[in-house]
Amino acid sequence: MAAPTCLEVFVGCYERTTLGYEVYENEEAKFAIRAKFTDNSHIGYVKTLAASDSFLATGSTDETIHLYNLKTNRELGALLQHDGSITSIGFHGDGHMISGSTDGTIGIWNTASWELMKSLRAHKGGVNSVAIHPSGKLALTAGQDKLLRTWNLIKGRVAYTTNIKQVADFVLWSPDGELYIIVCDRVINVYRITTATITSSIDCGRKILAVSFLTNRVLAVGGEGENIQLFELSEGKSTCKCDFKAHENRVKGIQSTSDRSSQPKDSCRWLLTVSSDSYLKLWSVDTETLDEPVLLASVNTTARLTCVCVRPVLSQTSEVPALKLKVEKAKDKNAPAKRRSTGTEQDAKKKKPKTRKQKP
């Protein structure tokens, strides 16, 4: 009998493939990673992916988003709304998804029917990153136009526009929603939501390709080079507490999650990292001491990895507030003139999306 799964991980790569893995713990309390599925639906490389409790979404340079039901292990189809490469995908709970593209738009989707609730013209020259606030009421987008936009998701419109004078590669909220970071090349600027001003700035000395919050005030950073840095964020100055070699090539993706072992420690977090060296690695980090992380498991995927995400585990008592957009189903005046609908979207009003068995 196979050991039970304690974590599900998904990665994308330049070889146009999405790979699914399971982390399991054996009787000796040691961890290993085994393959779960492989999907080759995209015709461009997989640039971004995201998972909710029920769904996996993968975005590609082929301008499509492919969808999978993780509870039934079935492929749901593809969303074809965007006219550019998919650059960013995020879920709010299990009910809504937001996508960003180089076509300059963001799309807000209802996962019950995969109907496009809203298409908004967000930036000139393309959307680089989308980040949904933990409350589900706000979102940040960064674009090629050197602007940061704050969106009111309840009303479905821009709340603020900030000229950051640089092209931002990533925007990301802290888990408690009190801080957000903007990554521009090799610099991380940390902002507080109440003042929208920079509280500290970090120069990592290299181009940053991946970031993830371990805790509300601890940030993991990877990029060009083999190392990952752990920063403790504080007012005025943020400190690098650990700088360790994680891979043999540049770090392309970082994702953190809770300790999923049979005997979890409150002070420990798990860190998933992927690299162009083809390895997916699982680390354990003590967030109190921030000593060098312990490598728990790794697997050679034999692919040049680009991104990673983890399927969240929702407790039975926790509830994610619904995102309730006060918009009509009529076309938004800001929507692009050209609109490509999917089979999934067209059939949503009549029947559930067609599914087919997941590839082994």
Side-chain angles (χ1 to χ4, degrees), residues 205-244:
R206 57 184 174 148
K207 184 172 178 58
I208 299 164
L209 301 174
V211 289
S212 181
F213 276 94
L214 279 166
T215 70
N216 292 320
R217 299 298 178 268
V218 177
L219 188 68
V221 181
E224 296 291 351
E226 306 165 346
N227 287 21
I228 289 176
Q229 297 166 297
L230 304 180
F231 289 95
E232 188 173 59
L233 307 183
S234 59
E235 296 285 341
K237 185 178 181 180
S238 296
T239 308
C240 181
K241 294 294 186 179
C242 184
D243 189 340
F244 67 99

Side-chain angles (χ1 to χ4, degrees), residues 25-221:
E25 185 177 7
N26 61 27
E27 295 179 354
E28 290 77 30
K30 294 184 179 180
F31 298 90
I33 303 173
R34 61 192 173 204
K36 182 180 180 181
F37 76 89
T38 300
D39 186 87
N40 299 295
S41 298
H42 286 292
I43 58 174
Y45 81 82
V46 181
K47 191 175 180 67
T48 181
L49 40 73
S52 69
D53 184 51
S54 298
F55 304 105
L56 171 68
T58 64
S60 168
T61 55
D62 64 10
E63 305 182 359
T64 68
I65 300 171
H66 284 259
L67 304 169
Y68 310 85
N69 187 316
L70 297 178
K71 293 187 174 181
T72 61
N73 290 324
R74 292 180 180 273
E75 187 176 350
L76 297 178
L79 303 177
L80 309 177
Q81 165 67 20
H82 291 291
D83 290 321
S85 297
I86 311 302
T87 56
S88 188
I89 301 173
F91 281 96
H92 175 62
D94 227 15
H96 295 85
M97 184 186 80
I98 298 182
S99 57
S101 168
T102 56
D103 65 9
T105 67
I106 58 173
I108 304 175
W109 306 85
N110 184 328
T111 64
S113 61
W114 291 108
E115 176 186 5
L116 180 66
M117 301 173 65
K118 196 84 169 175
S119 178
L120 299 167
R121 177 64 61 181
H123 293 275
K124 295 179 181 179
V127 178
N128 288 345
S129 182
V130 177
I132 306 172
H133 190 269
S135 68
K137 298 178 180 179
L138 299 173
L140 297 174
T141 62
Q144 288 288 332
D145 52 9
K146 301 180 182 180
L147 297 179
L148 175 75
R149 286 208 159 103
T150 304
W151 298 85
N152 183 326
L153 294 181
I154 303 300
K155 297 181 179 180
R157 66 188 185 194
V158 174
Y160 305 101
T161 298
T162 306
N163 186 346
I164 56 178
K165 300 180 181 180
Q166 298 180 76
V167 175
D169 301 307
F170 303 101
V171 290
L172 186 67
W173 292 100
S174 62
D176 61 6
E178 294 183 4
L179 302 178
Y180 60 92
I181 64 169
I182 300 176
V183 177
C184 301
D185 193 44
R186 67 184 210 176
V187 176
I188 302 172
N189 290 321
V190 184
Y191 292 76
R192 184 169 293 280
I193 188 174
T194 53
T195 61
T197 57
I198 297 176
T199 64
S200 65
S201 185
I202 305 167
D203 189 339
C204 296
R206 57 184 174 148
K207 184 172 178 58
I208 299 164
L209 301 174
V211 289
S212 181
F213 276 94
L214 279 166
T215 70
N216 292 320
R217 299 298 178 268
V218 177
L219 188 68
V221 181

Side-chain angles (χ1 to χ4, degrees), residues 272-300:
L272 281 302
T273 64
V274 296
S275 166
S276 298
D277 66 6
S278 79
Y279 274 87
L280 163 65
K281 294 186 177 182
L282 171 66
W283 309 82
S284 177
V285 183
D286 189 321
T287 57
E288 291 183 353
T289 64
L290 291 181
D291 292 332
E292 183 169 328
V294 177
L295 181 63
L296 299 180
S298 66
V299 62
N300 185 354

